[in-house]
Amino acid sequence: MDIGYARVDLDRERRQGLPEIVYGPGKRAGEIAGIVEVLLGRNDGPVLVTRVDPDAAAEVRERVPGGRYDEAARLLVWRPALLLGHRVAVVTAGTADGPVAAEAAAVATALGLETTVIRDVGVAGIHRVLAVVDDLREADSVIVVAGMEGALASVVGGLVETPVVAVPTSVGYGAALEGVTALLAMMTSCAAGITVVNIDSGFGAALAAYRLTRRRP
């Protein structure tokens, strides 16, 4: 649907099970509000706007009532989905990975996943992740959020049988290369079958976990 400044994909819910999700940066609050209004009026599922700063979020919510804003995740949500019966654990290596984990957890929750966040269990203190192995194994999928050398994804991948989605973060000193080192480490992990998404993409990890719940009749 062409609304002048955007061509809103109204068929995406039929194709993929979710309405189009709006990327906030680069859009004015009025443009975001206009797109959200179209999605709410022409689709049934949850409507999300990602990476929205607090001022823009406040203006959008004034224009389109009923939205909820998660400042830590920078996420706006209307009509969050009912629980789908899929449990996802979001695990961080360190406290600095928190913003990316917050986005992953908030998006997953909005899409109907039962979400648990396990913080600060990086491999520099391997006992920390070993202490939560039972919690990890109870989840239907695990999202691992780690910067530096990204080793936590390999460790978790070797401890659980369920799908692991790894998110490299831009956290780390010089040779971490703003997340490139963690990205390459996760992609070359010897724990076979790990899914790796883009640097700092908590959103992408949540969508990967969501896709694991989808089955066509």
Side-chain angles (χ1 to χ4, degrees):
M1 180 179 179
D2 189 350
I3 58 174
Y5 51 83
R7 295 179 183 269
V8 185
D9 185 357
L10 297 177
D11 188 53
R12 193 172 304 185
E13 185 171 40
R14 181 192 64 81
R15 298 195 317 269
Q16 298 187 343
L18 287 173
E20 179 179 0
I21 295 175
V22 184
Y23 179 68
K27 298 180 178 69
R28 294 189 294 270
E31 293 173 334
I32 294 173
I35 295 169
V36 167
E37 286 176 333
V38 170
L39 291 170
L40 287 171
R42 301 295 188 91
N43 291 276
D44 298 320
V47 174
L48 281 64
V49 185
T50 65
R51 306 288 173 99
V52 190
D53 65 56
D55 290 340
E59 185 174 343
V60 173
R61 292 176 69 197
E62 285 182 5
R63 292 170 179 259
V64 188
R68 297 190 308 196
Y69 181 59
D70 185 326
E71 185 170 351
R74 296 181 293 164
L75 183 71
L76 275 168
V77 181
W78 287 261
R79 283 196 316 230
L82 299 176
L83 289 176
L84 297 172
H86 182 100
R87 296 170 297 171
V88 59
V90 179
V91 187
T92 73
T95 304
D97 300 309
V100 177
E103 181 180 61
V107 172
T109 299
L111 300 183
L113 307 186
E114 183 181 339
T115 308
T116 301
V117 180
I118 300 172
R119 297 179 175 85
D120 197 20
V121 294
V123 300
I126 194 69
H127 60 284
R128 298 181 298 186
V129 68
L130 296 177
V132 298
V133 167
D134 289 344
D135 296 323
L136 299 178
R137 289 174 176 165
E138 288 178 0
D140 298 307
S141 61
V142 181
I143 294 173
V144 179
V145 184
M148 302 290 187
E149 84 288 20
L152 182 61
S154 292
V155 172
V156 172
L159 292 172
V160 304
E161 65 176 355
T162 48
V164 175
V165 181
V167 190
T169 71
S170 52
V171 170
Y173 299 105
L177 301 176
E178 297 184 339
V180 173
T181 297
L183 172 66
L184 296 178
M186 290 170 174
M187 291 181 69
T188 55
S189 171
C190 62
I194 291 176
T195 296
V196 184
V197 300
N198 208 348
I199 297 168
D200 290 339
S201 185
F203 166 77
L207 264 291
Y210 172 79
R211 282 178 178 265
L212 293 172
T213 72
R214 306 306 295 168
R215 295 289 186 276
R216 286 198 178 274

